[in-house]
Amino acid sequence: MKNAFEFKKLIVPGVVMLAFWGIALWGYLVSGYTQPLIMFGYIGTSLGVGLGLYGTLPKRQKPIGRRLTLFLIGLFLVGFAIFMGHENVQIEGFLFGLLTGVIQMGVIHYFIAKIVGPLLFGRLWCGWACWAVMVLDLLPFKRPAGRLPGKWGWLRYLHFGLSLALVLLLVYVVGFRAGAAGTAAVTWFIVGNLAYYAIGIGLAYALKDNRAFCKYLCPVSVPLKLTSRFALLKIKGDAAKCTACHACEKQCPMDIRISDYTAAGTRVLSTECSLCQTCITVCPKDALKLSFGFDLSGKDLLRERVV
Ligand code: SF4
Ligand code: SF4
Ligand code: SF4
């Protein structure tokens, strides 16, 4: 019985790893280059190992699996972009790549991790691979008091719109087309990331919330929220087991009202969920699990802070 239980915990890691290796192989066969094979094979293996560790380690040690994966993937992608691809893999680099036809690993990365991938695995990127959160999650504010009341989350859309407008202006008005790859692109990537880290850390301390940058400012969350609405992989609660103790919600870094979804008989439909699995780990009744399925509707039920 015990073995069957352990095997179950490896199904999701196995599916994720195989899916990435499928993409890696497909990329290699279509392009003839080994880069997609190395990149997506490495990412898939890191995710598989991290998710597998998370699933099988004792509760207190589970975060090791996620931290390890964040560093394995985050450092690899940043190093790959700067030293091998010489690319800008910030969102502006992706937009430059699309508009100027420079379709390198940055553009492919965005399609897989942030546009097509979330249809399958939701915002797994945000919980397990993002190089910004690799650092922000080390800060001490892991249990936020809730979201700021009001429309502060719309700043992300404004940020996305400004990034798009800037790239359009530079490409079509100024004639600058070197924002995706090359020395200027790498400089943009490094300076942009340093700015993200500075703002992200500042916001985390100001709002006592490690994920404040994700909730209010990150432009990448815009496409992620759009496609992850239809994600096959989501958190599912068992209403018969749930005692509405709210322990999961107090620990959720994204302030999601998990037990409200469970009480309503739906999976966790919020597009804010990063699939970090913290809620599963802390639930004293084992009422939560990862599940594959399909949901047509989606609603963000979020906890607001009292100010
Ligand atoms: S919202 Fe942005 S900063 Fe936060 S984890 Fe996702 S991609 Fe990274
Ligand atoms: S609902 Fe669970 S998996 Fe999703 S962000 Fe919150 S704690 Fe993480
Ligand atoms: S921690 Fe478990 S029992 Fe408590 S509210 Fe969350 S799902 Fe229900």
Side-chain angles (χ1 to χ4, degrees), residues 212-256:
F213 183 77
C214 306
K215 295 171 193 175
Y216 309 115
L217 270 186
C218 178
V220 181
S221 66
V222 174
L224 281 167
K225 279 178 73 65
L226 198 69
T227 49
S228 66
R229 180 166 296 283
F230 306 102
L232 298 183
L233 186 65
K234 286 190 174 110
I235 301 289
K236 184 178 182 181
D238 182 341
K241 288 183 181 173
C242 177
T243 56
C245 69
H246 303 297
C248 52
E249 297 175 13
K250 286 179 193 143
Q251 301 274 348
C252 173
M254 300 305 280
D255 311 312
I256 297 169

Coordinates of all heavy atoms in Angstrom, one line a residue, residues 212-256:
A212 N 4.8 40.7 -3.3 CA 4.2 41.9 -3.6 C 4.5 42.3 -5.1 O 3.6 42.8 -5.8 CB 4.7 43.1 -2.7
F213 N 5.7 42.1 -5.6 CA 6.0 42.4 -7.0 C 5.1 41.6 -7.9 O 4.6 42.2 -8.9 CB 7.5 42.1 -7.2 CG 7.9 42.5 -8.6 CD1 8.1 43.9 -9.0 CD2 8.1 41.6 -9.6 CE1 8.5 44.2 -10.3 CE2 8.5 41.9 -10.9 CZ 8.7 43.2 -11.2
C214 N 4.9 40.4 -7.6 CA 4.1 39.5 -8.5 C 2.6 40.0 -8.5 O 2.0 40.0 -9.5 CB 4.0 38.1 -7.9 SG 5.6 37.3 -7.7
K215 N 2.1 40.5 -7.3 CA 0.7 40.8 -7.2 C 0.4 42.2 -7.8 O -0.7 42.4 -8.2 CB 0.3 40.8 -5.7 CG 0.4 39.5 -5.1 CD 0.2 39.5 -3.6 CE 0.6 38.2 -2.9 NZ 0.6 38.3 -1.5
Y216 N 1.4 43.1 -7.8 CA 1.0 44.5 -8.2 C 1.8 45.0 -9.4 O 1.3 45.9 -10.0 CB 1.2 45.4 -7.0 CG 0.6 45.0 -5.7 CD1 1.3 44.6 -4.6 CD2 -0.8 44.9 -5.6 CE1 0.7 44.2 -3.5 CE2 -1.4 44.4 -4.5 CZ -0.6 44.1 -3.4 OH -1.3 43.6 -2.2
L217 N 2.9 44.4 -9.7 CA 3.7 45.1 -10.7 C 4.2 44.2 -11.9 O 4.6 44.7 -12.9 CB 5.0 45.7 -10.1 CG 4.8 47.1 -9.6 CD1 6.2 47.7 -9.1 CD2 4.3 48.1 -10.7
C218 N 4.3 42.9 -11.7 CA 5.0 42.1 -12.7 C 4.2 42.0 -14.0 O 3.1 41.5 -14.1 CB 5.2 40.7 -12.2 SG 6.0 39.6 -13.5
P219 N 4.8 42.5 -15.1 CA 4.1 42.5 -16.4 C 3.9 41.1 -17.0 O 3.0 40.8 -17.8 CB 5.0 43.3 -17.3 CG 6.4 43.2 -16.7 CD 6.2 43.0 -15.3
V220 N 4.8 40.2 -16.6 CA 4.7 38.8 -17.1 C 3.5 38.1 -16.6 O 3.0 37.2 -17.2 CB 6.0 38.0 -16.7 CG1 6.0 36.6 -17.3 CG2 7.2 38.7 -17.2
S221 N 2.9 38.6 -15.5 CA 1.7 37.9 -15.0 C 0.5 38.1 -15.9 O -0.4 37.4 -15.8 CB 1.4 38.4 -13.5 OG 1.1 39.8 -13.6
V222 N 0.6 39.1 -16.8 CA -0.6 39.4 -17.6 C -0.8 38.2 -18.6 O -1.9 37.7 -18.6 CB -0.3 40.8 -18.4 CG1 -1.5 41.0 -19.4 CG2 -0.3 41.9 -17.4
P223 N 0.2 37.8 -19.4 CA -0.1 36.6 -20.2 C -0.3 35.4 -19.4 O -1.1 34.5 -19.7 CB 1.1 36.5 -21.1 CG 2.2 37.3 -20.5 CD 1.5 38.4 -19.7
L224 N 0.4 35.3 -18.3 CA 0.3 34.1 -17.4 C -1.1 33.9 -16.9 O -1.7 32.8 -16.9 CB 1.3 34.2 -16.3 CG 2.7 33.8 -16.6 CD1 3.6 34.2 -15.4 CD2 2.9 32.3 -16.8
K225 N -1.7 35.0 -16.5 CA -3.1 35.0 -15.9 C -4.1 34.6 -17.0 O -5.0 33.8 -16.8 CB -3.5 36.3 -15.3 CG -2.9 36.6 -13.9 CD -3.3 37.9 -13.4 CE -4.8 38.1 -13.0 NZ -5.2 37.2 -11.9
L226 N -3.9 35.1 -18.2 CA -4.8 34.8 -19.3 C -4.8 33.3 -19.6 O -5.9 32.7 -19.7 CB -4.3 35.6 -20.5 CG -5.3 35.8 -21.6 CD1 -6.4 36.8 -21.2 CD2 -4.6 36.4 -22.9
T227 N -3.7 32.7 -19.9 CA -3.7 31.3 -20.3 C -3.9 30.3 -19.2 O -4.5 29.3 -19.4 CB -2.4 31.0 -21.1 OG1 -1.3 31.4 -20.4 CG2 -2.5 31.7 -22.5
S228 N -3.4 30.7 -18.0 CA -3.5 29.7 -16.9 C -5.0 29.6 -16.4 O -5.3 28.7 -15.7 CB -2.7 30.1 -15.7 OG -3.1 31.3 -15.1
R229 N -5.9 30.4 -16.9 CA -7.3 30.3 -16.6 C -7.8 28.9 -17.0 O -8.7 28.3 -16.4 CB -8.1 31.4 -17.3 CG -9.6 31.3 -17.0 CD -10.3 32.6 -17.4 NE -9.9 33.8 -16.7 CZ -10.3 34.0 -15.4 NH1 -11.1 33.2 -14.8 NH2 -9.9 35.1 -14.8
F230 N -7.2 28.4 -18.1 CA -7.7 27.1 -18.7 C -6.8 26.0 -18.3 O -6.9 24.9 -18.9 CB -7.8 27.2 -20.2 CG -8.7 28.4 -20.6 CD1 -8.1 29.6 -21.1 CD2 -10.1 28.3 -20.5 CE1 -8.9 30.7 -21.4 CE2 -10.9 29.4 -20.8 CZ -10.3 30.6 -21.3
A231 N -5.9 26.2 -17.3 CA -4.9 25.2 -17.0 C -5.6 23.8 -16.6 O -6.6 23.8 -15.9 CB -4.1 25.6 -15.8
L232 N -5.0 22.8 -17.1 CA -5.4 21.4 -16.7 C -5.1 21.1 -15.3 O -5.8 20.5 -14.6 CB -4.9 20.4 -17.7 CG -5.2 20.5 -19.2 CD1 -4.6 19.4 -20.0 CD2 -6.7 20.5 -19.4
L233 N -3.8 21.5 -14.9 CA -3.3 21.2 -13.6 C -3.7 22.3 -12.6 O -3.4 23.5 -12.8 CB -1.8 21.0 -13.6 CG -1.1 20.6 -12.3 CD1 -1.5 19.1 -12.0 CD2 0.4 20.6 -12.5
K234 N -4.5 21.9 -11.6 CA -4.9 22.9 -10.5 C -5.0 22.2 -9.2 O -4.9 21.0 -9.1 CB -6.3 23.5 -10.9 CG -6.3 24.5 -12.0 CD -7.6 25.2 -12.1 CE -7.6 26.3 -13.2 NZ -8.3 26.0 -14.4
I235 N -5.1 23.0 -8.1 CA -5.3 22.5 -6.8 C -6.8 22.1 -6.6 O -7.7 22.9 -7.0 CB -5.0 23.6 -5.7 CG1 -3.5 24.0 -5.9 CG2 -5.2 23.0 -4.3 CD1 -2.5 23.0 -5.5
K236 N -7.1 21.0 -6.0 CA -8.4 20.6 -5.7 C -8.6 20.2 -4.3 O -7.8 19.6 -3.6 CB -8.7 19.3 -6.6 CG -10.1 18.9 -6.5 CD -10.4 17.7 -7.4 CE -11.8 17.2 -7.4 NZ -12.0 16.1 -8.2
G237 N -9.7 20.7 -3.7 CA -10.1 20.4 -2.3 C -11.2 19.4 -2.2 O -12.0 19.4 -3.0
D238 N -11.1 18.7 -1.1 CA -12.2 17.7 -0.8 C -13.1 18.3 0.3 O -12.6 18.4 1.5 CB -11.5 16.4 -0.4 CG -12.5 15.3 -0.1 OD1 -13.7 15.6 0.1 OD2 -12.1 14.1 -0.1
A239 N -14.3 18.7 -0.1 CA -15.2 19.3 0.9 C -15.5 18.4 2.1 O -15.7 18.9 3.2 CB -16.4 19.8 0.2
A240 N -15.5 17.1 1.8 CA -15.8 16.2 2.9 C -14.8 16.2 4.0 O -15.0 15.9 5.2 CB -16.1 14.8 2.4
K241 N -13.5 16.5 3.6 CA -12.4 16.4 4.6 C -12.1 17.8 5.2 O -11.6 18.0 6.3 CB -11.1 16.0 3.9 CG -11.1 14.5 3.5 CD -9.7 14.2 2.9 CE -9.6 12.8 2.5 NZ -8.3 12.5 1.8
C242 N -12.5 18.9 4.4 CA -12.1 20.2 4.8 C -12.9 20.7 6.0 O -14.2 20.6 6.0 CB -12.3 21.2 3.7 SG -12.0 22.9 4.1
T243 N -12.2 21.2 7.1 CA -12.9 21.7 8.3 C -13.0 23.2 8.3 O -13.3 23.8 9.3 CB -12.2 21.2 9.5 OG1 -10.8 21.6 9.4 CG2 -12.3 19.7 9.7
A244 N -12.6 23.8 7.2 CA -12.6 25.3 7.1 C -11.7 26.0 8.2 O -12.1 27.0 8.7 CB -14.0 25.9 7.1
C245 N -10.6 25.3 8.5 CA -9.7 25.9 9.5 C -8.9 27.1 9.0 O -8.3 27.8 9.8 CB -8.8 24.8 10.0 SG -7.5 24.3 8.8
H246 N -8.8 27.2 7.7 CA -8.1 28.3 7.0 C -6.6 28.3 7.1 O -6.0 29.3 6.8 CB -8.7 29.7 7.4 CG -10.2 29.8 7.2 ND1 -10.7 29.7 5.9 CD2 -11.2 30.0 8.0 CE1 -12.0 29.9 6.0 NE2 -12.4 30.0 7.3
A247 N -6.1 27.2 7.6 CA -4.6 27.1 7.8 C -4.0 27.3 6.4 O -2.9 27.9 6.3 CB -4.2 25.8 8.4
C248 N -4.5 26.7 5.4 CA -4.0 26.8 4.0 C -3.9 28.3 3.5 O -2.9 28.7 3.0 CB -4.8 26.0 3.0 SG -6.6 26.3 3.1
E249 N -5.0 29.0 3.8 CA -5.1 30.4 3.3 C -4.1 31.3 4.0 O -3.5 32.2 3.4 CB -6.5 30.9 3.5 CG -7.5 30.1 2.7 CD -8.9 30.5 2.9 OE1 -9.2 31.5 3.5 OE2 -9.8 29.7 2.5
K250 N -3.9 31.0 5.3 CA -2.9 31.9 6.1 C -1.5 31.7 5.5 O -0.7 32.6 5.6 CB -3.0 31.5 7.6 CG -4.2 32.0 8.2 CD -4.2 31.6 9.7 CE -5.6 31.8 10.3 NZ -6.0 30.8 11.2
Q251 N -1.2 30.6 4.9 CA 0.1 30.3 4.4 C 0.2 30.6 2.9 O 1.3 30.5 2.4 CB 0.5 28.8 4.7 CG 0.5 28.4 6.1 CD 1.8 28.7 6.8 OE1 2.8 29.0 6.2 NE2 1.8 28.6 8.1
C252 N -0.9 30.7 2.2 CA -0.8 30.9 0.8 C -0.1 32.2 0.4 O -0.6 33.3 0.8 CB -2.2 30.9 0.2 SG -2.2 31.3 -1.6
P253 N 1.0 32.2 -0.3 CA 1.7 33.4 -0.6 C 1.0 34.3 -1.6 O 1.3 35.5 -1.7 CB 3.0 32.9 -1.3 CG 2.7 31.5 -1.8 CD 1.6 31.0 -0.9
M254 N -0.1 33.8 -2.2 CA -0.8 34.6 -3.2 C -2.2 35.0 -2.7 O -3.0 35.5 -3.4 CB -1.0 33.8 -4.5 CG 0.4 33.5 -5.2 SD 1.4 34.9 -5.4 CE 0.7 35.6 -6.9
D255 N -2.5 34.8 -1.4 CA -3.7 35.3 -0.7 C -5.0 34.7 -1.3 O -6.0 35.4 -1.4 CB -3.8 36.8 -0.8 CG -2.6 37.5 -0.4 OD1 -2.0 37.2 0.7 OD2 -2.2 38.4 -1.1
I256 N -5.0 33.4 -1.7 CA -6.1 32.8 -2.3 C -7.1 32.2 -1.3 O -6.6 31.6 -0.3 CB -5.7 31.8 -3.4 CG1 -4.9 32.5 -4.5 CG2 -6.9 31.0 -4.0 CD1 -4.2 31.5 -5.4

